[in-house]
Amino acid sequence: MITKILSHFDIPEDALGTVPRLTIIGGGSALVENHRGLDVLGSERVVISSGGGKITLLGEALELASMTSAEVLISGDIRAIELG
Amino acid sequence: MERLLNLARGCVRMEFTGAEPEELINRLALRGIPFWSPEKDSVGALRVTVLRRDVGGIQNGGFHARIISERGLPKLWRALAHRWILLIGAAAIAALMLWSSVHIWQIDVSGNETVPTWRILSALDSIGVGIGTNWLSITQDNVRSEALLLLPELKWLTVNISGSRAEVIVREREDIPAITDRTEPTDVVASVSGIVSDMSILSGTKLVTAGQTVLAGETLVSSGITNLAGETRLVNAQASVIARTWHTITAKSPLTAAVRIQVSEKKRRFALILGTKRINFYKSSGIYTTGCDKIILEHKVSCKGLFSLPVSVIEIRTVYYDTEEQTRDEFALRDELITLAEETLHYRIGDNGEVVQQSLSGSVCGKALSVTLRAEARQDIAQSKAFYEGVTDND
């Protein structure tokens, strides 16, 4: 219902802060906004909870660059992203 | 920049235990505590770096955390707070540097060629610009005006202040070339003895002729001219008199010379200069004696290009040595004496003179080598002499 209303007014879904917004910068870092916490933090796998499910980042030498209650920045050699 | 800011605010490396590392990270993020460089170890402990101001909140927030290390300005300040003597020393040095930076501790003079530096420094000192003067009280125009009055040989002077260094740049007046008074009666006399070979008279009465032998000081051209009516008037006699002259120049030098053979003793003494005061850390005075080299080194307390403190450490190194009489190389010595004799000859005959022929002879007389140069030359022997020179007025 809310999705339909937002679509009607041309407002992006992530504006409400309930669905995640994922930004990849050149394969070297990934910014996840509207997250709900970190589930797994490893050098080859990072799992982040979000309103729309879990975001899994796979790669090598992954590191948590910074984290606030609103966003998580992961840096490293990101090879794959799984959403689910 | 952010790293520097964090160091200024103080950073603490903390180790968290008792929960999953991810859970701890989530809790930190949820509480809005900035952190960086998270690191998990094999037993599940998490190490992160946080700002020092957040440590209290973390420790009261139910985290099992301990501080591993700390760095940054607050730590440094706490360390210094217990070392008050060091703080006082640093403050005293800062105050001394500030005080020193508005005073002149070094004066460099440039641009002077004939006026000695000590005269310029003395004149500046007498108008209140010297070592230890507060340069804030110096007015460029006043210094220039007063210094130029005291030093009439200068036509321009400026004092540039750079930190504690004063650079005095001067320009000297150019000497006005001597003007020959053509109305003054003068004779032309012979500067050296010789045989006159050629004469060229511009004014005056010729007293000698070509082929005649003249002695040094003899009048060659008189200033008196007699006209047809028998009246004599005095003129400024001018002439060029070329003559054959003979010169004998002997140069002598001992065949032995004292040569330094070994260093027998070294001594180092120190003194301290504070502003204009000198404190010697030795008892005896510095009498110069033979048989030693005295090297004086001045180590100024300064940061090159930034500031200099009025403090200098003077190091006096005295190296005593023994000497031994050694025979010099005769051929090299002979060449030196020949060169010396030839230079003397060229000085005597002047730039326009010409050596017609010359011969050299050498002899060893006792412990000395003697070289004699005999030369015949052609040179201008004319020399002006004031007509009234040496004349006593009996009236």
Side-chain angles (χ1 to χ4, degrees), chain B residues 206-393:
Chain B
K206 185 166 75 171
L207 298 181
V208 295
T209 55
Q212 188 175 338
T213 302
V214 293
L215 295 172
E218 188 176 332
T219 303
L220 305 175
V221 180
S222 169
S223 57
I225 294 178
T226 306
N227 59 16
L228 293 174
E231 296 170 339
T232 301
R233 63 185 177 91
L234 298 176
V235 297
N236 185 269
Q238 292 179 53
S240 168
V241 182
I242 306 298
R244 290 169 62 200
T245 56
W246 286 265
H247 303 266
T248 302
I249 298 162
T250 302
K252 274 185 184 175
S253 177
L255 279 167
T256 57
V259 178
R260 189 185 306 184
I261 51 169
Q262 63 177 21
V263 174
S264 57
E265 191 188 353
K266 289 181 182 176
K267 195 185 280 183
R268 291 172 75 190
R269 295 186 297 185
F270 293 92
L272 186 68
I273 293 180
L274 296 170
T276 55
K277 302 287 181 189
R278 180 183 173 117
I279 303 163
N280 292 334
F281 297 113
Y282 51 86
K283 287 181 180 175
S284 59
S285 59
I287 298 170
Y288 286 92
T289 59
T290 55
C292 74
D293 288 336
K294 187 175 272 191
I295 303 154
I296 300 173
L297 301 170
E298 183 176 0
H299 308 285
K300 286 188 85 70
V301 180
S302 65
C303 183
K304 198 171 183 182
L306 290 176
F307 65 87
S308 75
L309 292 176
V311 181
S312 298
V313 177
I314 306 294
E315 182 185 353
I316 305 157
R317 293 181 191 165
T318 311
V319 182
Y320 294 91
Y321 54 83
D322 297 328
T323 57
E324 187 183 68
E325 285 289 320
Q326 287 188 0
T327 306
R328 299 178 66 186
D329 180 12
E330 197 175 318
F331 292 103
L333 184 58
R334 192 189 63 182
D335 290 343
E336 282 179 29
L337 293 176
I338 290 171
T339 306
L340 187 66
E342 287 178 342
E343 283 176 359
T344 308
L345 174 66
H346 283 103
Y347 174 74
R348 284 189 186 177
I349 65 176
D351 293 336
N352 297 324
E354 176 194 351
V355 178
V356 178
Q357 59 177 354
Q358 69 176 43
S359 64
L360 284 161
S361 62
S363 63
V364 176
C365 182
K367 289 185 177 178
L369 177 66
S370 170
V371 169
T372 302
L373 171 69
R374 292 181 181 83
E376 180 188 341
R378 271 172 58 84
Q379 66 181 104
D380 189 351
I381 62 169
Q383 184 181 36
S384 289
K385 182 185 176 188
F387 178 78
Y388 297 111
E389 199 174 296
V391 176
T392 307
D393 188 358

Side-chain angles (χ1 to χ4, degrees), chain A residues 37-41 64 67-69, chain B residues 22 25-26 29-30 35-36 38 40:
Chain A
L38 206 60
D39 282 355
V40 178
L41 177 63
L64 177 64
M67 184 174 176
T68 64
S69 58
Chain B
E22 289 81 0
I25 288 172
N26 288 333
L30 202 61
F35 63 92
W36 58 94
K40 285 196 299 184

Side-chain angles (χ1 to χ4, degrees), chain B residues 13 49 69 98 112 123 149 193-194 257 278 290 296 334 339 344 353 382:
Chain B
R13 187 76 175 162
T49 305
S69 62
L98 187 68
N112 55 322
L149 279 175
S193 303
R278 180 183 173 117
T290 55
I296 300 173
R334 192 189 63 182
T339 306
T344 308

Side-chain angles (χ1 to χ4, degrees), chain B residues 123-142:
Chain B
L124 288 172
D125 192 52
S126 67
I127 57 176
V129 180
I131 299 293
T133 304
N134 185 336
W135 56 260
L136 293 172
S137 62
I138 294 174
T139 311
Q140 182 78 250
D141 291 341
N142 289 351

